[in-house]
């Protein structure tokens, strides 16, 4: 890292909640995360993040193979490699190559940049540093393509700050041209390809009016805290006061009638709105307080204990086998793999071909969700109600 410069990642909490940067450790922690190619993980990589890194490395290798820049994709040292990873990275590469052919067929000179690091100056010694999954550029077009390997929430390319940052870095490849800019997120696990477009002028306005001011606030530790779904990625989430106030507001929002001994549906609806967030917050607080107590801190009114009975386990597998034989029993049992395990082993395509007709799904009980949920509404009949009584 160069002296006197501050580096921010192309995605992360700072774009949504500028003060969280210093709350979580500031520039040093972010610099450590970037230097280890760990995104915004603050130098600590979870199993899911490690799996995501392997997805991206395999996808990049496969693209280089298809483009003739590499002989073979490396898989020997991938801890999470399986048929599912192989299939989904192929799907990603298929879409990237489709875009390449589309650009090539239009008669343009096509160049492809894969996992290329960039260093984007913003202002006052603040830089954005990272690497984009894939950039395809021609004299008249710039395609920013990003792979999302997770099975969690669907991610949209529309006004996606991460992809817009990649596009800013990609503009350097186009000199002074005014290319058609297309932003694409490929999410194979959710069978989703999301695409948005933006002009060079719109991108530069976003940089000047949003990205640069937010970067300044982030480094200075100013701006406002913003509570939302992104809080689950924040290392400071257990002790963030803004989050605590938001959680408490969920309870206070219940418009209960003080003259009634019971809550009405309106009261319950207000509480349900924040129930999942509130539970996650309480779990975070409990874990953080336990860790503090383990480190020697005193939590007023609480103490550490050792539960009376922990999980039992055998100390020697071979000794247990020998004892079981003497007792005249078989210590092993055979268990059929679950549908999910088989799908991971053979990949979705072969799973559908060989096992789809052998699967039955249990009927699910109705679940109450917000009206914004895209799934169709279920309306129970009187018989449904009577059967549940």
């Amino acid at each position: 890292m160069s002296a006197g410069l501050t580096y921010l990642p192309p995605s992360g909490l700072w774009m949504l909640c500028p003060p969280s940067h210093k709350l979580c450790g500031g520039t040093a922690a972010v610099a450590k995360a970037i230097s280890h190619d760990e995104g915004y993980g603050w130098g600590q990589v979870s199993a899911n993040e490690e799996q995501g890194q392997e997805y991206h490395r395999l996808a990049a290798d496969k693209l280089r193979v298809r483009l003739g820049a590499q002989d073979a994709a490396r898989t020997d040292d991938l801890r999470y490699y399986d048929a599912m990873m192989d299939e989904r990275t192929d799907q990603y590469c298929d879409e990237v190559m489709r875009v390449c052919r589309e650009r090539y067929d239009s008669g343009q000179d096509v160049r492809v940049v894969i996992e290329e690091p960039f260093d984007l100056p913003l202002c006052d010694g603040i830089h954005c540093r990272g690497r984009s999954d894939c950039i395809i550029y021609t004299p008249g077009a710039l395609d920013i393509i990003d792979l999302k390997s997770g099975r969690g929430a669907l991610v949209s390319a529309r006004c996606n700050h991460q992809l817009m940052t990649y596009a800013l870095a990609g503009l350097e490849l186009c000199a002074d041209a005014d290319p058609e800019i297309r932003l694409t997120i490929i999410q194979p696990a959710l069978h989703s390809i999301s695409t948005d477009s933006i002009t060079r002028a719109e991108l530069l306005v976003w940089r000047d009016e949003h990205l640069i001011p937010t970067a300044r606030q982030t480094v200075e530790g100013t701006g406002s805290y913003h509570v939302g779904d992104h809080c689950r990625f924040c290392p400071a989430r257990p002790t963030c006061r803004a989050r605590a106030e938001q959680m408490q507001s969920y309870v206070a929002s219940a418009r209960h009638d003080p003259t009634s001994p019971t809550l009405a549906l309106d009261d319950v609806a207000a509480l349900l709105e924040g129930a999942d967030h509130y539970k996650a917050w309480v779990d975070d607080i409990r874990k953080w307080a336990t860790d503090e107590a383990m480190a020697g801190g005193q939590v007023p009114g609480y103490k550490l204990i050792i539960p009376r009975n922990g999980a039992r386990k055998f100390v020697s597998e071979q000794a247990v086998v020998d004892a079981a034989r003497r007792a005249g029993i078989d210590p092993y049992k055979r268990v059929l793999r679950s549908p999910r395990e088989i799908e991971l082993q053979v990949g979705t395509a072969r799973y559908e071909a060989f096992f789809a007709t052998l699967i039955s799904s249990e009927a699910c009980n109705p679940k109450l969700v917000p009206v914004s949920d895209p799934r169709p509404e279920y309306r129970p009949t009187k018989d449904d109600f009577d059967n549940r009584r």
Side-chain angles (χ1 to χ4, degrees), residues 18-285:
S20 66
H21 173 74
K22 286 197 171 181
L23 196 64
C24 296
T27 302
V30 175
K32 180 181 178 184
I34 296 173
S35 67
H36 286 80
D37 275 342
E38 293 168 3
Y40 210 54
W42 305 95
Q44 299 177 351
V45 182
S46 68
N48 286 340
E49 289 170 333
E50 185 178 357
Q51 185 179 35
Q53 290 172 5
E54 291 191 358
Y55 258 95
H56 282 76
R57 203 200 79 180
L58 180 59
D61 275 1
K62 286 185 173 182
L63 273 182
R64 295 188 183 102
V65 170
R66 296 199 188 192
L67 293 168
Q70 189 170 311
D71 293 333
R74 303 160 293 165
T75 59
D76 292 345
D77 59 341
L78 298 180
R79 291 180 56 195
Y80 299 95
Y81 178 75
D82 55 25
M84 185 73 79
M85 179 184 288
D86 190 53
E87 183 179 76
R88 288 175 177 171
T89 48
D90 277 345
Q91 292 169 357
Y92 164 77
C93 293
D94 289 344
E95 178 62 19
V96 172
M97 296 306 296
R98 185 196 66 78
V99 175
C100 287
R101 287 192 296 271
E102 176 186 323
R103 295 306 188 190
Y104 181 80
D105 290 344
S106 66
Q108 302 183 71
D109 180 26
V110 180
R111 297 185 63 186
V112 183
V113 175
I114 303 168
E115 292 282 349
E116 185 74 18
F118 66 84
D119 187 337
L120 178 67
L122 296 179
C123 62
D124 306 329
I126 304 173
H127 289 228
C128 190
R129 173 176 286 186
R131 63 178 69 228
S132 54
D133 293 343
C134 181
I135 297 179
I136 303 171
Y137 65 100
T138 70
L142 181 67
D143 284 278
I144 310 297
I145 303 179
D146 192 58
L147 168 64
K148 300 297 184 187
S149 59
R151 300 176 65 247
L154 196 66
V155 184
S156 171
R158 182 167 179 75
C159 298
N160 187 286
H161 293 177
Q162 181 181 7
L163 266 63
M164 291 164 74
T165 305
Y166 291 158
L168 283 172
L171 284 178
E172 297 181 2
L173 303 172
C174 303
D176 296 325
D178 187 12
E180 170 197 353
I181 303 173
R182 196 161 59 181
L183 313 175
T184 300
I185 290 178
I186 302 173
Q187 221 167 341
L190 298 180
H191 310 287
S192 171
I193 299 176
S194 174
T195 301
D196 193 22
S197 61
I198 189 171
T199 67
R200 182 190 185 103
E202 291 170 337
L203 192 60
L204 295 180
V205 168
W206 173 79
R207 178 198 64 185
D208 295 340
E209 296 185 358
H210 176 80
L211 186 63
I212 289 177
T214 302
R216 283 200 179 100
Q217 290 178 338
T218 297
V219 174
E220 294 168 357
T222 59
S224 301
Y225 289 95
H226 296 284
V227 179
D229 289 340
H230 55 273
C231 291
R232 67 184 185 273
F233 301 115
C234 181
R237 63 186 181 276
T239 55
C240 174
R241 188 170 298 278
R243 188 182 182 215
E245 291 173 351
Q246 177 66 55
M247 297 305 108
Q248 291 162 7
S249 73
Y250 285 134
V251 178
S253 64
R255 303 176 298 278
H256 63 276
D257 180 359
T259 64
S260 173
T262 59
L263 296 176
L265 279 176
D266 285 347
D267 307 321
V268 172
L271 292 170
L272 282 175
E273 183 179 351
D276 291 338
H277 297 289
Y278 195 90
K279 181 182 182 302
W281 174 62
V282 172
D283 290 344
D284 287 337
I285 290 177

Side-chain angles (χ1 to χ4, degrees), residues 372-389:
S372 57
D373 191 292
R375 290 170 289 187
E377 182 178 7
Y378 165 71
R379 292 184 177 275
T381 65
K382 183 178 183 299
D383 288 342
D384 293 328
F385 178 77
D386 290 339
N387 291 335
R388 293 179 60 83
R389 294 183 65 176

Side-chain angles (χ1 to χ4, degrees), residues 231-373:
C231 291
R232 67 184 185 273
F233 301 115
C234 181
R237 63 186 181 276
T239 55
C240 174
R241 188 170 298 278
R243 188 182 182 215
E245 291 173 351
Q246 177 66 55
M247 297 305 108
Q248 291 162 7
S249 73
Y250 285 134
V251 178
S253 64
R255 303 176 298 278
H256 63 276
D257 180 359
T259 64
S260 173
T262 59
L263 296 176
L265 279 176
D266 285 347
D267 307 321
V268 172
L271 292 170
L272 282 175
E273 183 179 351
D276 291 338
H277 297 289
Y278 195 90
K279 181 182 182 302
W281 174 62
V282 172
D283 290 344
D284 287 337
I285 290 177
R286 189 181 302 279
K287 182 182 183 304
W288 180 85
T290 301
D291 291 342
E292 287 292 300
M294 288 292 292
Q298 294 294 321
V299 182
Y302 287 83
K303 64 181 180 181
L304 288 173
I305 63 166
I306 299 295
R308 181 170 305 207
N309 293 317
R312 295 182 299 172
K313 63 179 181 180
F314 290 117
V315 296
S316 168
E317 181 175 335
Q318 186 57 51
V320 172
V321 171
D322 294 340
R325 286 172 178 168
R326 291 194 299 271
I329 65 170
D330 183 359
Y332 294 106
K333 64 178 181 179
R334 294 184 62 188
V335 178
L336 194 65
R337 295 178 187 270
S338 70
R340 172 65 179 165
E341 289 171 331
I342 290 180
E343 186 178 7
L344 286 173
Q345 188 175 18
V346 304
T348 301
R350 295 184 66 201
Y351 173 80
E352 293 288 344
F354 290 99
F355 299 96
T357 58
L358 306 177
I359 301 296
S360 67
S361 298
E362 296 179 357
C364 295
N365 289 326
K367 179 181 179 181
L368 196 64
V369 299
V371 292
S372 57
D373 191 292

